[in-house]
Amino acid sequence: MYDQDNLFAKILRGEIPSTAVYDDEFAFAFNDINPQAPVHVLVIPRGAYIDMDDLTANGSDAEIAGFMRAVGHVARDVLGLADGGYRLLVNNGPDSNQEVPHLHIHIVGGRNLGPLMVK
Ligand code: 5GP
């Protein structure tokens, strides 16, 4: 069950401040409060989806396409990361230690990120 009072729902409603970098019908993107690299942005769907499993099972084609297009647009056109490259990371559910139960894709870049760490 989606929690309407989760942190990112409050950010979407403007109840908690964030530094927005992009906003459209399907997605909202803002700087991570604890960046792990020179660029660390979170992209979240406007719809109430807990995680990628929820979006891909229950989202409309328009929501899924609009959200993924926004991720690409933010990385390429807003953040300018396409040439240097970047990493996308999505924590999904308890085993991933997902902290906030509203789907978010991390866009991380701005330096060489080294090997993927899974520990
Ligand atoms: P997760 O671990 O769920 O994949 O990622 C949650 C992310 O949310 C973390 O990278 C964390 O730094 C970020 N975060 C937590 N609280 C806030 C907040 O109040 N504002 C912003 N902008 N990011 C937050």
Side-chain angles (χ1 to χ4, degrees):
M1 174 88 94
Y2 181 83
D3 171 12
Q4 296 290 345
D5 285 326
N6 77 76
L7 181 63
F8 292 168
K10 291 180 177 176
I11 283 180
L12 265 181
R13 293 195 295 266
E15 296 168 10
I16 290 176
S18 65
T19 303
V21 301
Y22 182 71
D23 189 4
D24 73 15
E25 177 185 357
F26 295 107
F28 181 67
F30 54 101
N31 287 328
D32 195 291
I33 202 167
N34 182 23
Q36 303 298 306
V39 178
H40 188 168
V41 162
L42 303 173
V43 189
I44 65 177
R46 284 211 160 272
Y49 298 102
I50 297 170
D51 56 17
M52 191 62 91
D53 181 65
D54 188 13
L55 177 69
T56 55
N58 302 310
S60 69
D61 288 354
E63 286 176 307
I64 294 169
F67 177 61
M68 293 310 297
R69 289 249 187 233
V71 172
H73 173 64
V74 169
R76 183 175 51 250
D77 304 319
V78 178
L79 303 174
L81 294 175
D83 290 343
Y86 55 91
R87 180 170 292 155
L88 300 180
L89 188 146
V90 187
N91 288 319
N92 202 88
D95 277 354
S96 74
N97 293 311
Q98 179 181 358
E99 288 174 26
V100 183
H102 182 113
L103 171 59
H104 46 287
I105 294 187
H106 299 251
I107 302 177
V108 185
R111 65 167 168 78
N112 187 288
L113 298 166
L116 180 63
M117 298 298 292
V118 180
K119 58 178 183 174

